[in-house]
């Protein structure tokens, strides 16, 4: 069953240099993982709850693959740059 990793940015980017480094390092972390970007910082309209400043949705074949990618050494190297750049919520959800 497909799974989705959803990144929700909870405010403006605080550090553009860190965000640029995160973007570069995260792209490299894709490696051989079978992930499909479905939405990457397109226009966002918050209908309920706290406003989102940006959203990314990545599709994986299943939740196990999504977790393996997130916990991979390559993505974990990118993670500190994202955390310094902006505040995010990240969730994994399974599809139908």
């Amino acid at each position: 069953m497909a799974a989705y990793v959803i990144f929700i940015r909870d405010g403006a980017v605080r550090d553009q240099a860190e965000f640029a480094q995160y973007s570069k390092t995260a792209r490299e972390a894709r490696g051989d993982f079978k992930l499909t970007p479905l939405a990457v910082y397109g226009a966002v309209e918050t209908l309920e709850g706290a406003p989102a400043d940006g959203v990314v949705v990545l599709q994986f074949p299943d939740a196990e693959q999504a977790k393996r990618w997130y916990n991979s050494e390559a993505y974990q190297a990118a993670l500190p740059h994202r955390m310094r750049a902006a505040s995010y919520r990240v969730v994994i959800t399974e599809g139908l």
Side-chain angles (χ1 to χ4, degrees), residues 19-66:
F19 189 72
Q21 183 61 45
Y22 167 70
S23 295
K24 178 183 181 297
T25 310
R27 273 192 307 273
E28 293 168 355
R30 181 176 187 161
D32 293 332
F33 287 95
K34 292 182 172 142
L35 68 91
T36 303
L38 299 178
V40 180
Y41 298 114
V44 174
E45 179 181 354
T46 302
L47 300 177
E48 295 185 26
D53 185 63
V55 175
V56 172
V57 180
L58 304 177
Q59 180 181 17
F60 290 83
D62 55 46
E64 185 58 37
Q65 291 289 317

